[in-house]
Amino acid sequence: MSGRLKRWAGWARAHAHAGAGVSAGASIAGPAVANLGLPSISQFAPQVFSRLASHRFARWALRCLVWIAVLGAALLACATALAIGVAVILRPAPGEWTETVPWGRWQRDVSMPTLLRMATHPFTLSVLAGRRLDTPFGAVQVVEEPATLGQPGGSVDSADSAPRRWRIACAPCAFERRELGRERIVLSRVAFTLERDRHMKLHGSFTLGEAPNAVTGRWSARIEPDQAELAFGFRDAPLAHAFGVFGAAIPELKRTRIEGRIGLIARLRLPSRELILKPRIDGFSVSGLGTEALLGAAPACAGGHAGRSSDKPFGTWLPRAVVAAEDQRFHEHAGFDMAEIVAAWAGRQRAADRAGDASPGVVGDERGERAQRAELARGASTLSQQLAKLLYTGDRPSHARKLRELLYAVELDRTLGKARVLNLYLAIAPWGDGRCGAHAASQALLGKPAAALSPVEAAWLASLLRNPDAALARMVRTGEVDVRRVGHIIDGLRPMPLARRLAAQHTLDTWRPDWLGAPTPRPQAVRAMPSGATSTAAPRWHGAPDAGPGEAPADAADEADTALAAAGVAINVASATTAATAATATAATAATAATTTTTAATAATAAASAATTAAAAP
């Protein structure tokens, strides 16, 4: 190649000298040259210079191609070396936390602790500073903010020696938690600062929402070989600001006044995704949702059957059984039960982990047992929250619906009171197959009014509330009552003498609804009776029946117990006046029986006190 270039260069120089000589003699021998038939200077010079220029361009282009090839080879070698180096650095050690990530056309297991340290290294953050990154959580922007004097980690000698700090913001920011449904949780804005101390530990502050109504707190992270733990929380923040973080997901915020304060301590462990929450709420109060209209409203079940069915008495045992089954601290909380919420959160995390670990090829009894365990996961909805779900929010599984439900429950509990909340819930609660309310369920499934139910019957009816259709279908398929579930409800019936509770547990061993004793039970046997139908034939019980509601109690203590239930719960009336009248009449009955024994006298005194309380209730 070099020899050919030398020959081209010699040829060009020769033609250039020839062209110069011709140009010098053109003025002398111009006519003679023309007469001899030789080409003139004007014809010869352009050809020489065009060839010369073409050879120079070729030489320049060749040099460029050579340099491009060398540079490309160098870049490829660097990229290959970098990829190999990163692969070696991210190669997990035995026992380390690993994740499978795409690696070109392949997939590779990488060390997540090493990857997290590389991602939060000052060099990496400096490269990302000022850039806008599209992530699965949303658009993220990284900004460098040098730490100033007086901040944690700052130097007292010179601001230049202070550690560097980065602010990372995501607006809006979305993520998902399997425990809160399939819908993604969208926060209006999430921003946090990131710093590393001399021990390479990460810490900083965070801000949720838009200023000036943002929630601020502190966070820290510890990265270990087998896991990473993130701790974060805030001491005290207005509840209104905490709800405002979710923005447009809660449309009621525009017309709602929220009072109270909230604090939170939380820990997130990876890769288990275990989130431990320890919230604290003080003075939670809600107004502006208009739930006061339910004070004089007549409940209407699905299908348009309106009427004041809530005015009919629900009896002594069914209300207590529903409280024992669905909300044992109903008379203690203010519409929500924080202890149950935290416990249910932990239970849903375990259920979600089991569902995620389940093999798709598992069939048979193991799948059925897993589904049953998920169904029996602990719930956290109070009766006030369930009433809010039935009346306002619906049952779509999402975090926004749960937050809206919480707002309505707190206001319902304040504006209506416990007696009215329980009364409305019993009047419209769904009991499966289109049955609406306790009266329809009692008539269709037990053939008697709700007020005439025995403790065992009331406990069984209340046990269906969690999932009526599934529970009834299982009973028809197996021919058995869920003794464990019903027995747990009987054990929670309060007030109830221990002796009678033990007798009810004994009766439960052989008790079954009449329709369940058919020779060939079918699902249609449950559906054949319409929701409003009544049965004239008395049910046949398997085993010794409990004392019916029309029979005299075993002793004066049971009579006083019935008086206490009617006076304290006051669920069978629609107004305080009627409640006081019914409670006083029942108390008088207990007082009449109390003239015989000292025990009965004590019971009558307690009943009269309960009647006074019911008369003062809203």
Side-chain angles (χ1 to χ4, degrees), residues 346-356 373-374 377:
R348 279 194 291 267
Q349 282 193 104
R350 291 190 295 269
D353 292 340
R354 285 196 300 266
R373 287 196 302 268

Side-chain angles (χ1 to χ4, degrees), residues 8 11-12 15-16 41-59:
W8 284 353
W11 181 88
H15 279 74
I41 295 299
S42 61
Q43 297 175 348
F44 181 75
Q47 297 178 8
V48 174
F49 289 115
S50 64
R51 289 183 179 181
L52 182 61
S54 64
H55 288 295
R56 287 181 178 177
F57 176 78
R59 183 169 55 191

